[in-house]
Amino acid sequence: MNPIQTVDYIRILPELVLGAFGIIVMMADAVLKPGQSRKSLGLISLVGACAGIAATFCQIAWMHRDPSFTDPGWFGMVRVDNFAIFFHLLIPAISAICILASLEYLDAQNIRSGEYYALILFGTVGMVLMSSAIELVLIFIALEISSISTYVLAGYRRRNASSSESSIKYFLLGSFATAFFLYGVALMFGATGSTSIPEIRAALAAGSPNLLAIAATALMIVGLGFKVASAPFHIWTPDVYEGAPAPIVALMSTGPKAAAFAVLLRVLFATTQTEWFWLIWVSAALSMTLGNFGALVQNNVKRMLAYSSIAHAGYLLVAFAAGGDTGKSAAIFYTAAYAAMNVGAFAVVSHFAAGGERYVSLDDYAGLGRRSPLLAFTLTIFLLSLIGIPGTAGFFAKYYVFQAAFTGHSGALIALGIIGLINSAVASYYYLRLIVLMYMREPVMAETPASATAAMRLALVLAAIATIYLGVVPNRVLNSSQAGAQDLDFTNPGKIVYHIGQPVAPATPER
Amino acid sequence: MNQNLNLWVIPLLPLIGAAINGLFGRRFKNAVVSTVALLFTAASFVWALRAVWTAWPGGGISLPYIESHGTWITAGSFSAPFGFYLDQLSMIMVLVVTGVGFLIHVYSVGYMAHEGGFYRFFTYLNLFMFFMLTLVLANNYLLMFVGWEGVGLASYLLIGFFFQKDSAANAGKKAFIINRIGDFGFLIGMFLIIQHFGSLNYADVFGKIASGHYAPELGWGLFTAIGLCLLFGATGKSAQVPLYVWLPDAMEGPTPVSALIHAATMVTAGIYMIARSHAIFNLAPHALEIVAIIGCLTAIFAATMGITQTDIKRVLAYSTISQLGYMVLACGVAAYAAGIFHLMTHAFFKALLFLGAGSVIHAIGGEQDMRRMGGLRTKIPITFWVMTAATFAIAGFPPFAGFFSKDEILGATFHSRFGGPVLWVIGVITAGLTSFYMFRLWFMTFFGEYKPGAVDEGEEAHAASAPAHAAHTTASHSHGHADDEAHGHGHVHESPWIMLAPLVILAVLSVVGGWVGIPQFMSGGQNHFEHFLAPVMESGPPTSTQAAVPVTGNDTISTHAGPPSEENAGQEWLLAGTSVAAAVIGLFFAWLLYFKRRDLPGRIATKIHGIYLLVLHKYYIDEGYGAIFVKPLLALSTVVFWHGVDQGIIDGLVNGAGSTSKGIGNELRRMQSGNIRSYAAWVAVGGAAVVAIMIWLGVGR
Amino acid sequence: MIIHQILFIIFGIICVAGAVNLLVQRHPINSALSLVVVMASLALIYLLLGAEFVAAIQVIVYAGAIMVLFVFVIMLLNAGSEERTRGSHIALFIGVPGVVVLAGTVAWLLIHSGGQLGSVQISSSDFGNTQDIAHLLFKDFLLPFEITSVLILIAIMGAVVLGRKES
Amino acid sequence: MVPLSWYLILSAILFSLGVFGFLLKRNIITIFMSIELMLNAVNLSFVAFANYWNTHQAKLASGANVVPLSGHVFVFFVMVVAAAEAAVGLAIIISVFRTRETLNVDQVNLLKL
Amino acid sequence: MNHAILSLVTFLPAAGAVVLMLMPRNDHVLRWTALITSIVTFLFSLDIVRLFDYSERGFQSNMDINVPWILHVIHYHLGVDGISMWLVLLTTLLVPVSVLVSWKSIHDRVKEFFVLLLLLETAMIGVFLALDMFLFYVFWEATLIPMALLIGMYGHERRVYAAVKFFLYTMVASVFMLAAIIWLYTHTHSFDYATVRQWIADGNANGGSTLQWLFLGFFIAFAVKVPLFPLHTWLPDAHVEAPTAGSVLLAGVLLKMGTYGLLRFNVGMFPAQAAANAQWINVLAVIGIIYGALVALVQPNLKKLIAYSSVSHLGFVVLGIFTLTQIGTDGAVYQMLNHGISTGALFMLAGMIYERKHTYEFKEYGGLATPMPVYATFFLFAVLSSVGLPLLNGFVGEFLVLSGTFQSPLPHSMLFSILGASGVIWGACYLLWMYQKVFYGQIHHAENKGLADIDRRERVSLVPLVVMAIIMGVVSPFWMKSIDPSVGNTIPKAAVAKTKACPGQCAPAAEASVLHKISATLAGEKQ
């Protein structure tokens, strides 16, 4: 009997589909003429991303049919549970919106190579895999897939010095951090004899505190902390985001980040929380503070949003520090909320940047409320969400995180929560600055911004709807994130919260 | 008792008049406006007469008569109704107000005929009537306060009637604000009453006092406190020291306004209020003592200032303050009836004086400076004669009205333990001064030669040294009478009959008005006025309070009710004689200085230059208030509060927090040097820190 | 078994020396060659640890393929000796002490737990043989192995995209 | 008998030298080589631990045997990844060299603050 | 239907905003649509009054709507009581008026303006009606954006500074409230106002210091909004720069959100803390009254003066609330409504003159009563209402507040009352000073001679406020009969009683001793 069964293929169906579409795009690229617009490839890849989502729905269907679906597959390599499904839906969606935003961008930048879309799709494969992988080997490879594709994409504007600089910085520092991660994995292997997360979890839970394992955890935190851009490993973010093409920043500030957070969730909650609590506490406080204060003085939109993304990583880590089901659930929810608003914001940035990314200074945004009402309006929604105004994803996510922090009833957590709240108030200044510029200043830019293409509009509207949806009626997503949080301990088979065409079962009140 | 008097109609009628004129008056002809205003005022007067007639003591209605028309304010256990109250006291007040008010309305039709804003004037005037009637008819302090504030508003509007003139606008504002300062005291007094009696209704409050329903250990101090607060309110409204300063300035208003509001009615509200609250004051002898002193002080103080004024209306204004001082003095010596009596007679003759002065001013084209008058006796004879009656009345010559009321007060002062001879002497001196400055006015205006455009040589130098004063007189030229300028100088004319008729009626009242209160020792019969008011005033302190207030014997708070015994009659005659003598002396000096030897005033002025200037500038009280209160306050507000605290400290902190954050941000971003090796160093250091912290904490565990 | 220790010390010293030389040399070619030395001696240490397969691919893939690529690029770009620019004080004054702390902590930890860990020895000769690895790789680790293809695809594509001449 | 800690310390030394290399070298290619050095150090740890687990046959918490060889497999994957990284990394370096005409990292500091 | 009325009133303006958003940019149609929407909202809000059941002291059960929203713990819970009902009506009254007053003054980006205005209305109504603390916070913050945008987009020269200052001030402060709400949730597992209130009342919160922190968390958020001295400096800037409608709603409604919050949450939920903290809060309130007035006195700018007058007036409200007496709090609630009417009218009037003169500086005015008599009359009404003239609305509130303060059992309240009562003097000072500067005297600027008096539309927009000022001044029981029981239901009884019981600090005792001292001294003199 073949040890690899059909269900195993279903467990990696989104990856397979995405990879297949990646290959299709590569092949099709060869058919197109060199100077021709690659829009058609973009559309194919868009279909691919959507197919990835569809594949995830297929997984959900299997989940309903086969209770053993959530068991580890591929000899303990992957586990497609509620947690993984959450990211399987989220990440291709992010990619899809990034692709939509790229369609126009590539033409504007006069980039005519279809590998771009293939790289996005392959990177998505890596990210998706990161969320379902439960074996450090596979996590490592998936991480590298997503990283390498983003290294390349960051340098995609090859004629541009800052783009290649961004790429090299990202690459060198990323590899540097990966080495730390690997070192941690090695020590963990030494400490527990396994690289499988459930095994590690079980070993650590059973054994006495093991310094080697602690050191291993620390080193893995370094590596993953780098990927999620949390202080003190955030330092690369502004430079890389500034130099990289805007749609790619939209992607890499959300997709790989969400995936990295997924891994961080898997890894950290496999170890003992008390060991890393203070570390994450400090990191969260530092990230929020450094990010927000850094952003206060930026004049480049991309850089500003980069600092803001550091700060948001900090908020997310607050949820980690809070721990517990609420904390994990809050962290999961936050990734989605952050993705929705940040993808949207960078999509707008990529539109306004125009050819050569000329217009990325804050002042270039003056008077946009008058010139491009729709784009300014959607950007306002994203910014408000980033500030954390009620009715938007950002608010509920933040609220949920802080609620998790306060639920602990511990002084340290409440203090962290307060630091976070003050930070989010400070942060409102720089987001507001952009809104102010758009609506309250007269344009200084001589050039009238081009009107957005339908694809761009679609991308923005989708992102805006997601932002509002997550802020106003987050029940469905909250249910999923709660279920995902419960699946993080690998023990319960996981109740199925995803339904296709059926009403959402009422969630249990949080306690 | 069952009869409904519908007192509410009395104040409401003028309000309707005000509403009609206010809303539509702009489109009406002057005749329509005046008809409306007069109609509603007259109706109000008639209704008041009817009410008084019906409720006259001995009639079918037991006094006080109270009617209530729903609640105005309610909160928690507190509530204040729209309620009206009629007793002997309010009967007198309501008749004076509606009666004199109506006459002045009539007069105004003539006086204001050529002014702009005719409808506005009558709107305000009717509005004033509404508030004043509310004040005197209210059955609770809160509703009285409505009238109290409302008349302040009407006064503000009417003083500032010629709003294009800065001085008029300033005067209106000053009047309102200073009244507000007094109102502040009234408010606190009301709070105290609410706190301890739970209600502001007269019936409740006085009933509780009468039955001793108040905490005995609080009683005495409490009543003193309430009394002082109410007194403070009264000093504002009735222009007593130290809040009298607004009244002279209030002469910026049209003359009928001065007559109605600033002489006959509104300014007496304070006296009415004290008389109304006599039950409280009777229990607070120290408050009464202070009332008496303030009244006496005001009387003499204002009288001295009246001496040097050359503006005819200002002389009358100071005279009013002085006379109000008498009334307050009367209240202070617990002779409330005497105070109200003087209030009434004063309403007659002072209204007359103002209206007469208005007639004079009208006659000579808006001129108010007495130095530019003279010899008008023959040119406007009717005005002269009515003015003469009023002057004799105010100076206190028998048998004019002023004599009886003033004598009543002085007598009561002499007998009272709160007053005593000292205050009596001051009162008599004031009477002499009153006589002096009133006859000064009389002589300067009606005798000698008419000299328009001239300033008395003797006083010229001093007039020049008083620029404010000079400015004032020129300003008065420029007001609404400017169009009369053509027939102003040299074309002196008697006023029309619509103005003269009220004068004549008031003149009659000034003569005979006092006869209702001829004291017992003169007439042999009873003092009708006092007797009439006795039921109100004697519902004073029950003897039971004596125990609670041991320091105040019942004798000290005698209400001057009992008729003096036979043996005292001689003393009474002597006292009356003294005050008449003082008046005669005043008349003599006025004749000497302003008729016989017209050079003398100037020479005296140069001789006692310092004192003269002091008095001429009204003791620099206005300037003093300015320097002590107004300027420092404005400076404090501007420099310390606004620029200092607001913009400096608070906004400094706020903006400072902003720039500090940016500074921190700027420092932090220096980490972002752009160098990959530095970045790697941060990552490495971070890694080192992470590992070290975790190992350290792990070992510690 | 002292021979093991002696061999370990010899190869270890060569390793460290090579690594230090990598740092000291200013021309990248020299550094690259030092790295090859390190890798080669590491392969020998792997043999000491009984990891024959790993030792073999260490030589073939690492020392062979990857380092050749490095040398190729160095030659391609005609990289000269590195200039001693003073770009980063932070790296020197903060980074180096930081790394010392890191290394010290890890070393302390390893020595500290070394007692618990015990020693290693060359075990039975069938440990680490290729067959076992193959079993592992194509069964338990099949999915990572297959997924690696995506990684390599991306690498190829990335290299092509970035290295391609501008059109 | 070589104590395991010797191997691990050697690994730590090599790793640290790699980090030093990153911090101190100016040439991008050399820096990249330093990273390779770090990866090699990690590989050494893996192999050493694999040997260790082979010596101490133990059970995992789940009851399964420890598979010491997975350390070797991990090294194998690290090498694959290193190769892929090398390909991409060197391409990026070429790309940087094309735009900046330098390989000195201190001069690649356009993006900052 | 009854249960839908609150939602209807709340979201009708938002629905209108959505419709406006989709409409073409025909300014005239947009204006009419906005006007009709707001008037219809007002008419619907009248239905709340019709349905109001006076026998119910607390929240009206017949209009209550409570459905789970997020995760079964966050509810969509709207409810109304005698306090919030009138604040809602104030809002729905002021919005149509604001629409009218913006008719001509807004001619650029008209669509955005009315959309923001209507969204703001929804948020404001929501704040007053929300009984779920999460929902309350949502609405609370939701008011920020439209307001900041209104100021920043349609304001005057320094509008951006003002908008940002307004936003940050309130944003930073409300964060503390959010912290307190979350803390409460994590202990009570409920956001429901009544539940949490009961939880605290049952003494479940361990230790007073926790409650003290929670109290402060709410307090800061509300104090900034009120604004209470010394957190008031955003207000003058915001007012001066805001467009007229913005000022009207800012002063008329947004500030009331702060005092409403103080009453509903600080006093309603933390009675013991409210009593314990009343001292210094009242000190701040009294400072606000006097300080605001004094600074208003020296402002050279019409709108700034009115803004500072708001600081002073809102000081009365806070003072009234923290007397913790029935009368004082009744007065405070009434004063909230009054201030909305009178200051709203003042800002509208200021806006009308701005439309003609394009400046708020007094030195550009003077003598305007001559060319604009009708305008001057309306202005006088607003001034008098603001001054607190009896028979106009302002008096009722001020009187009750001060009277309540005077009788409050809290220590020193008599002193606060007396100092607060001095506000009636200051109020007269700065308002009459302002009135004189604008309307009296000779006209110094020739162009002022030809100023047009206010037109029909402007009169129509002012009349409701003037009429309300009179009606509220004369028949206050109409409002009080619903306010009074609800206030009684909100303010603490036990807490005050507790304070009363404390020996030595009890006010009546202290005051008795003062009076006793006076009488003893006087008696000594006499003997």
Side-chain angles (χ1 to χ4, degrees), chain C residues 3 6 29-30 32 37 51 65 76-77 80 84 87 91-93 99 110 117 124 129 137-138 147 149 166:
Chain C
I3 185 78
I6 294 168
I29 273 292
N30 296 343
V37 170
L76 175 76
L77 298 181
R84 289 284 170 202
L92 197 57
F93 299 117
V99 176
L110 294 173
L117 292 172
S124 52
N129 69 16
L137 201 56
F138 294 107
I147 288 293
S149 61
E166 289 293 327

Side-chain angles (χ1 to χ4, degrees), chain A residues 144 165 189 199 239 303, chain D residues 53 62 85 100 110-111 113:
Chain A
E144 280 301 309
E165 181 177 331
F189 175 64
E199 295 288 1
D239 288 7
R303 247 184 128 71
Chain D
W53 285 116
S62 64
E85 269 193 358
R100 306 299 287 272
L110 211 62
L111 304 167
L113 292 175

